[in-house]
């Protein structure tokens, strides 16, 4: 963020759907060059999940805030819906899991990433609608693993999906 500000970006924003003290982000972000931190205290608690605001609602409200910033700017979003304990409400689950996966850690994770994929897709559509999509670089990454490979049931289920053994290397190979 500091380098971007030094190169003509007007502001740097951090968005998080949980409370301001979570991981002391309110102290960390200014040290990283962030000008603004938008947290749950700044948003409407319209659709709450166990860890905070649902990603769908988080993105919807955040896009309204983004529309008011002068370009170019840097914005970072920390989502919660696909984070453990993967507690997507039944009303937001749209995939049919195999019967043996329902209620398991693997099944809950699959529900969560499916939900998050849809929420991110809607966010991309909203960025396009407000004119921010075409001139943006969008990076999506995970900051830590999701499913432990040491659990034999999870290892079996992930391997069945990928056709490859689920190893420790795979567990820590976080997507970008």
């Amino acid at each position: 963020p500091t380098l971007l500000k030094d190169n003509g970006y007007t502001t740097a924003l951090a968005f998080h759907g949980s409370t301001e003290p979570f991981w002391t982000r309110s102290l960390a972000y200014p040290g990283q060059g962030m000008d603004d931190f938008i947290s749950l205290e700044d948003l409407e608690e319209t659709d709450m999940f166990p860890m905070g605001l649902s990603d769908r609602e988080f993105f919807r409200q955040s896009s309204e805030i983004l529309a008011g910033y002068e370009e170019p700017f840097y914005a970072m979003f920390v989502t919660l819906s696909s984070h453990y304990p993967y507690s997507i409400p039944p009303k937001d689950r749209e995939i049919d899991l195999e019967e043996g996966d329902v209620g398991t850690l693997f099944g809950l994770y699959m529900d969560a990433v499916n939900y998050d994929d849809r929420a991110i897709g809607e966010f991309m559509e909203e960025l396009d609608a407000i004119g921010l999509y075409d001139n943006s670089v969008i990076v999506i990454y995970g900051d830590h693993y999701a499913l432990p490979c040491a659990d034999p049931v999870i290892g079996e289920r992930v391997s069945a999906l990928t056709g490859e053994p689920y190893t420790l290397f795979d567990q820590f190979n976080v997507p970008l």
Side-chain angles (χ1 to χ4, degrees), residues 84-101:
Y84 182 83
Y86 316 124
S87 302
I88 305 302
K91 70 177 178 56
D92 292 311
R93 297 179 191 174
E94 292 188 8
I95 58 172
D96 293 323
L97 297 171
E98 291 187 19
E99 189 174 316
D101 292 333

Side-chain angles (χ1 to χ4, degrees), residues 66-148:
L66 279 181
Y69 277 88
E70 183 180 335
E71 295 181 56
F73 59 81
Y74 168 81
M76 178 183 85
F77 301 84
V78 180
T79 63
L80 297 168
S81 297
S82 62
H83 196 284
Y84 182 83
Y86 316 124
S87 302
I88 305 302
K91 70 177 178 56
D92 292 311
R93 297 179 191 174
E94 292 188 8
I95 58 172
D96 293 323
L97 297 171
E98 291 187 19
E99 189 174 316
D101 292 333
V102 174
T104 67
L105 181 61
F106 176 80
L108 294 171
Y109 175 74
M110 296 301 287
D111 280 328
V113 294
N114 175 265
Y115 168 85
D116 223 31
D117 279 349
R118 289 180 281 117
I120 290 168
E122 291 170 10
F123 182 52
M124 297 300 115
E125 291 171 0
E126 182 60 27
L127 290 177
D128 191 35
I130 62 175
L132 291 176
Y133 184 84
D134 288 337
N135 197 27
S136 293
V137 174
I138 299 167
V139 178
I140 300 171
Y141 71 96
D143 65 340
H144 57 79
Y145 76 92
L147 295 173

Side-chain angles (χ1 to χ4, degrees), residues 24-44:
T24 61
R25 293 175 194 277
S26 60
L27 299 175
Y29 288 148
Q32 297 169 13
M34 301 290 192
D35 295 316
D36 295 320
F37 174 36
I38 309 298
S39 65
L40 187 59
E41 290 83 358
D42 304 301
L43 302 167
E44 293 180 48

Side-chain angles (χ1 to χ4, degrees), residues 1-9 11-12 29-35 74:
T2 302
L3 291 173
L4 290 170
K5 285 192 329 190
D6 291 345
N7 286 281
Y9 283 68
T11 193
Y29 288 148
Q32 297 169 13
M34 301 290 192
D35 295 316
Y74 168 81

